[in-house]
Every structure is written in C-alpha cells, then in structure tokens.
Amino acid sequence: MMSTLSLNISIVNHQIFVLVGIPGMEEENSWMAFPLCLLYILTLFGNVLILFVIKTDRSLHEPMYLFLSLLACSDLGATLCTMPTMLGVYWFGFKEISFNACIVQMFFIHLFQWTESGILVAMALDRSVAIKNPLRYTSLLSNTVIGKIGLAILARGFCVCFPAPFLIKRLPFCGSNMLSHSYCLHQDIMHLACADTTVNMLYGLIIVICTLCLDVAIILVSYALILKTVLSVASREERSRSLNTCVSHICAILIFYMPMVGASVVHRVGRHLSPMVHMMMANIYIAVPPVLNPIVYSVKTKQIRQRICKMFQQNKIRS
C-alpha cells in the first residue's frame, strides 16, 4: 500500500522540468547562442560601467543618478538569474532543470521584474520633484531618503513574489514537464499542472492590478504634473531643457513595459501563432531591456556620456 502510494506520488510530482530553445529546431539552437552571449556580455559591461562611473564621479552623486544605479543593479540581477540557463540551453544543450531550481529562478525573475517596475516609478517621481521643486530637489531626495525608497521597493517586490513558490509547490504535475521558454516563469509552470489553478490565476491577476497597473498609473500622473509645470514656463529653451531630462527615463519605461506587455499578449491570446514568435518574444522580454538601458542613458544623458568619453580618453593616453 505504501509502496503504491509513493509510486503514485513520484509519478505525479515531476522533479525535473525541460527548458525549450528554438521549438522544433533544437539542432539550430547554437545559432541563437552567439547573439545571446553577446547580449550577456554587453549587459554586464554596460551596467557595471554605469555603476563605476556613478560611484567614481562625485558630481553624479545626485538623486537621478543614484536611482539609475538602482536600475543598473536590478538589470544585473535579472540578467544573472536568467542568462546562465538560457545559454546552457542554446549553447550546450543543457535543457533539464530541477523542480526546486526552477522555482528559485522563477522567484528571482519576478522579484527583479517588480523591483525594476518600482524603480521606474521612483525615477518618475524624481523627475517630477526635480522639475516642480528644483530648489528643494536635493533636500527632498537626500541619500537617506533614496536608501529608504530602495529598501521599500525591494521589500514590495519580495512580498509580491513570496507566495508564488508555495502556490506552485502545492500543485501536482502529472502530464508534460516541458516548459515553453529557456527559463522558468510562474504562468508557464502553472499551465503544466494537472489540478485546478484558479488560486494561481487569481494571484497573478491581483499582482498585475496592484503592481503593474498601479505603477503605470503613478508614472502617468507624474508626467501629467511634469507637463503641466513645463507648459507654464514662458521660455521655450527652459521647456526644452526640462523635457530633455526626462527623455532617458521615458525610453527606459518603453523598453521595460512594451516587451512585458507584448510577451503577455502573445502568451494569452496568441496561441495560434508560430512557436518561434513565442520564443522570440520571451527572449526579447528577458534579454533586451537590461542591455538597452545603459546604452540609452549613456547616449541621452550628457553628464554620463561626457564622463565615459573622458574615462576612455584617459585610458587611451596612458596606453
């Protein structure tokens, strides 16, 4: 009786999940490995460079750049918890991942996802304060305040993601153990369960409403206040200068939210689409934002661009 019960439990609960590269074209996975490896290297280099420049240049120890350093840390975290398994699948053909490792990766992916969303909200509020109250900007957003905001954002992300592993752990998996991507997501694992997943679906819906929708609403309100303040300024030059300080942040918002929304739409209503489309959207959603953010801020932010150019010129002179 006990042996039969333990056999049934071992059959129902998978201990291994299978990650997927290019659907139906596994022999071509190596073609995807090189661009992913290049993105990995560029992401690490770009974000570490941003952190180094901000740390070494005291003139950049301002709220805007401190929030940018938080964004770079979040991008590094998201990259470090996803790229190893992605490269393992595409480059070395390592497709299997243990159940517990998959849950841990899922937790950290969603943690950095919601942390980055919170950082983008904080950066929107930073721009609003800088434009509406420029004289009190540094006093309102002191280093202590920024540290508390960063801890609050991280705590929110942790609390939002904390239930997910337990909601997945309670589910039985008796059918396919093949995931849809080369990394683990809550909705992807949930769809493999052979039990009622209503609680998991409600959890996901509540999280989206209470975090993503709320974050987007705060960002929109912040920029409405920014536009109201900027349009009240008489000088066209001052209006242009004020809006230029927001360009990088607006690009970061689009870079983060558009792939997320696109991947979600394709995942929910695009089941008739080619598996290749799902694979590309999933990889873009994970791999592209962390590599584009440092490029955007390096190109669009004058102070960072000048500091990076100066640093490379000094290295060239020394060599």
Side-chain angles (χ1 to χ4, degrees):
M1 182 76 175
M2 283 298 291
S3 61
T4 304
L5 180 60
S6 60
L7 179 61
N8 288 336
I9 291 173
S10 65
I11 292 173
V12 168
N13 293 311
H14 294 307
Q15 297 302 312
I16 296 292
F17 283 120
V18 178
L19 302 171
V20 175
I22 302 176
M25 301 174 61
E26 284 75 15
E27 67 280 357
E28 304 294 336
N29 278 345
S30 58
W31 289 98
M32 196 72 183
F34 179 74
L36 277 177
C37 186
L38 182 61
L39 284 177
Y40 192 27
I41 293 170
L42 289 175
T43 300
L44 293 176
F45 176 76
N47 286 287
V48 169
L49 180 63
I50 290 289
L51 290 172
F52 177 78
V53 167
I54 293 173
K55 177 176 173 50
T56 55
D57 192 338
R58 295 192 63 84
S59 66
L60 297 180
H61 292 183
E62 296 181 3
M64 174 182 174
Y65 304 109
L66 295 179
F67 282 122
L68 176 57
S69 65
L70 293 179
L71 184 66
C73 289
S74 177
D75 284 337
L76 283 173
T79 299
L80 291 173
C81 71
T82 55
M83 277 296 179
T85 59
M86 294 175 71
L87 290 176
V89 170
Y90 287 107
W91 205 305
F92 303 106
F94 297 155
K95 298 180 181 180
E96 293 187 348
I97 183 170
S98 70
F99 180 71
N100 289 329
C102 193
I103 288 180
V104 170
Q105 186 185 52
M106 173 201 74
F107 174 81
F108 280 105
I109 287 176
H110 291 302
L111 172 64
F112 288 115
Q113 174 187 14
W114 297 122
T115 298
E116 182 150 342
S117 183
I119 292 170
L120 290 173
V121 171
M123 295 174 82
L125 296 174
D126 163 76
R127 291 297 83 211
S128 179
V129 172
I131 291 174
K132 288 178 65 66
N133 298 287
L135 297 180
R136 300 179 59 199
Y137 175 51
T138 54
S139 60
L140 289 173
L141 292 174
S142 63
N143 291 350
T144 303
V145 171
I146 293 173
K148 291 179 179 179
I149 291 174
L151 289 175
I153 291 170
L154 186 61
R156 185 194 76 155
F158 180 84
C159 292
V160 164
C161 299
F162 184 74
F166 301 99
L167 292 176
I168 291 294
K169 278 271 192 180
R170 70 183 183 86
L171 296 174
F173 297 90
C174 54
S176 171
N177 65 340
M178 184 171 292
L179 298 171
S180 303
H181 311 307
S182 53
Y183 51 86
C184 301
L185 293 177
H186 174 262
Q187 60 267 32
D188 199 13
I189 304 173
M190 176 187 71
H191 288 153
L192 297 180
C194 52
D196 184 20
T197 58
T198 302
V199 175
N200 294 69
M201 294 174 67
L202 286 174
Y203 161 75
L205 180 62
I206 292 170
I207 292 306
V208 168
I209 293 173
C210 295
T211 53
L212 182 62
C213 295
L214 180 62
D215 288 352
V216 171
I218 294 173
I219 290 172
L220 291 176
V221 170
S222 297
Y223 272 97
L225 295 174
I226 288 172
L227 283 175
K228 181 180 177 182
T229 303
V230 169
L231 292 176
S232 65
V233 177
S235 171
R236 178 180 295 181
E237 183 180 348
E238 290 182 9
R239 289 201 298 266
S240 177
R241 186 166 59 249
S242 298
L243 290 175
N244 280 337
T245 64
C246 301
V247 171
S248 299
H249 180 244
I250 293 172
C251 291
I253 291 171
L254 296 176
I255 288 168
F256 177 74
Y257 287 112
M258 287 183 66
M260 179 190 294
V261 173
S264 178
V265 169
V266 168
H267 186 77
R268 293 180 185 278
V269 302
R271 297 188 181 275
H272 64 284
L273 297 174
S274 167
M276 186 70 70
V277 175
H278 289 267
M279 183 273 295
M280 291 302 298
M281 286 301 302
N283 288 346
I284 289 171
Y285 159 64
I286 284 292
V288 172
V291 76
L292 287 184
N293 281 333
I295 294 174
V296 167
Y297 274 93
S298 298
V299 172
K300 291 293 185 180
T301 307
K302 181 180 178 182
Q303 292 87 338
I304 292 180
R305 184 175 67 249
Q306 289 178 340
R307 182 67 181 86
I308 291 174
C309 291
K310 182 179 178 181
M311 184 175 65
F312 280 111
Q313 286 174 354
Q314 289 175 345
N315 290 335
K316 185 176 180 181
I317 292 172
R318 289 173 184 171
S319 61

